[in-house]
Amino acid sequence: MANKKIINSRKFSHNIFYNYFSKFDNQSLEKSLSSENAIVRMLAILDRWVGKRRIISIL
């Protein structure tokens, strides 16, 4: 995946972040928490609807 190469090379643009945020924003929280994309998962974990118990169960 091209975006994976960009993330690994540490060259990251705002457009890529907004694209991932859009993915997160347009799918269920459960789907975001189990996403293969680390940024989408991070956004889901930071979401205020994710409780302490759910975060602990993920870890």
Side-chain angles (χ1 to χ4, degrees):
M1 183 175 197
N3 287 338
K4 206 173 218 179
K5 288 181 183 179
I6 292 170
I7 291 170
N8 290 337
S9 70
R10 294 183 168 80
K11 295 177 183 175
F12 199 73
S13 73
H14 290 96
N15 292 334
I16 294 170
F17 179 81
Y18 292 133
N19 185 19
Y20 290 139
F21 179 80
S22 179
K23 276 185 181 181
F24 158 75
D25 198 35
N26 291 309
Q27 64 186 8
S28 71
L29 187 59
E30 294 299 323
K31 193 169 183 178
S32 293
L33 285 170
S34 62
S35 174
E36 291 184 15
N37 185 290
I39 295 169
V40 174
R41 278 194 321 272
M42 174 203 64
L43 290 169
I45 290 171
L46 293 175
D47 190 298
R48 65 185 173 136
W49 291 105
V50 176
K52 183 173 146 183
R53 290 182 193 143
R54 189 181 284 175
I55 291 173
I56 290 171
S57 72
I58 291 170
L59 301 174

